[in-house]
Structure formats: C-alpha cells, structure tokens
C-alpha cells in the first residue's frame, strides 16, 4: 500500500486534511453522514387492451299518418250560346268545387260564343295510417384485456351503470 491517504482516517468534507487526534478523557463530536434516496421509474408492459365493435340490427315498425288528395272530375254539359257582348265565364270556385268553363267558337253566319260544358273538380282529403318495418343498427364496443403473452383475459365494460341500462 503505497498510498498513505488510503490508511489515514478522514472526516467527511475534510478532504486533504488529517483527522484530529483525541486524548483520553476528551470528547469529540463527529459529523454524521446523511443519506438521500432517489426514485427511478420505467415503463413496464403488463398487458394491453383490445377494443372491437359489434353491430346489432334491431327491427322496428315506424308508424305515421299519410295524407293524400283525391280529385274527382265531373263533366257538366251546358250547351248555352252566350249573348252578343256577354263576358265569357272564368275559372271560379263554388262550395269547394273548382269550375273550369270550356268554350267553343262555332261558325254561323255570325260568330257566337257557346258555353259547351263546365268541368267541376272536387278535392277530398283522406288520411291513412301506415306501418313500415325498418332495420336500425346499433354498435357496442367490446374491450378485452390482453396480457403480455397475447392472451385475452377478462372483458372490460367501459360504460357506467347508467349507460348500461339505457
């Protein structure tokens, strides 16, 4: 051992200085050594989660009332000659019936306007309840925990209790 500092006692924090010698009956206070702790962390793969979805088809019947209009056409023969200077009739409505006059000019020694017929158009409305079957699709998420070896274990339901009952 050629290094003399390797065998000489030293106080902590007094590098390069020799330790003080203590005589019998004297007291010396020695400084204590303080330890510190350090925490290191690292990521460890303990498993994985696999999420898949499944689609569920639900058949439902939709109900709605459809309205339709029906039109009835009646031809009413008139065959009346209009007087000279009489104003030709126009389209009009009476008691929910639309009346469309049909005029014809005929050639006589003189020209006269003859009311040939009227076309009466009556509109009625009917309601009909219909039911139409439809298919609605709904998806659910399936979550499985996968361990580091790749084996799927338990299924995890991410929905809260309230969402599960809806």
């Amino acid at each position: 051992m050629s290094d003399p500092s390797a065998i000489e006692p030293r106080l902590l924090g007094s590098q390069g200085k020799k330790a003080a010698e203590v005589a019998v009956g004297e007291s010396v206070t020695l400084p204590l050594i303080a330890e510190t702790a350090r925490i290191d962390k690292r990521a460890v793969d303990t498993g994985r989660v696999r999420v898949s979805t499944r689609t569920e088809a639900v058949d439902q019947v939709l109900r709605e009332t459809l309205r339709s209009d029906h039109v009835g056409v009646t031809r009413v023969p008139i065959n009346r000659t209009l007087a000279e200077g009489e104003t030709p009739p126009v389209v009009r409505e009476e008691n929910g019936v639309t009346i469309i006059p049909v005029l014809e000019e005929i050639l006589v020694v003189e020209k006269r306007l003859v009311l040939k017929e009227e076309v009466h158009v009556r509109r009625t409305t009917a309601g009909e309840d219909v039911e139409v079957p439809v298919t609605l699709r709904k998806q659910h998420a399936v979550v499985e925990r996968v361990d580091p070896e790749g084996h799927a274990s338990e299924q995890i339901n991410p929905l809260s209790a309230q969402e599960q009952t809806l």
Side-chain angles (χ1 to χ4, degrees), residues 4 11 29 37-38 44 53 55 69 73 77 86 98 115 118-119 145 151 158 160 164:
L11 286 176
T29 304
R38 184 178 78 192
V44 176
T53 59
T55 301
D69 290 336
V73 176
E86 184 181 348
T98 303
L115 177 60
E118 291 179 338
V119 177
R145 185 174 300 279
H151 303 305
S160 69
Q164 289 175 10

Side-chain angles (χ1 to χ4, degrees), residues 23-114:
V24 178
E26 284 185 37
S27 66
V28 175
T29 304
L30 297 176
L32 296 178
I33 297 174
E35 292 182 332
T36 59
R38 184 178 78 192
I39 297 175
D40 289 330
K41 51 185 176 177
R42 60 186 170 95
V44 176
D45 190 4
T46 60
R48 296 184 182 129
V49 173
R50 177 181 15 210
V51 177
S52 59
T53 59
R54 64 181 170 89
T55 301
E56 173 184 324
V58 178
D59 291 332
Q60 289 186 346
V61 176
L62 300 180
R63 291 177 176 84
E64 186 59 51
T65 300
L66 301 180
R67 303 218 185 284
S68 60
D69 290 336
H70 300 280
V71 176
V73 176
T74 306
R75 293 176 172 260
V76 178
I78 302 292
N79 289 322
R80 180 175 68 86
T81 303
L82 299 179
E84 184 78 27
E86 184 181 348
T87 307
V90 293
V91 176
R92 65 189 186 280
E93 188 165 329
E94 294 177 5
N95 299 325
V97 176
T98 303
I99 300 174
I100 304 167
V102 178
L103 300 171
E104 176 184 56
E105 282 183 340
I106 59 169
L107 196 56
V108 191
V109 177
E110 59 187 335
K111 184 166 93 172
R112 296 182 189 163
L113 197 55
V114 175

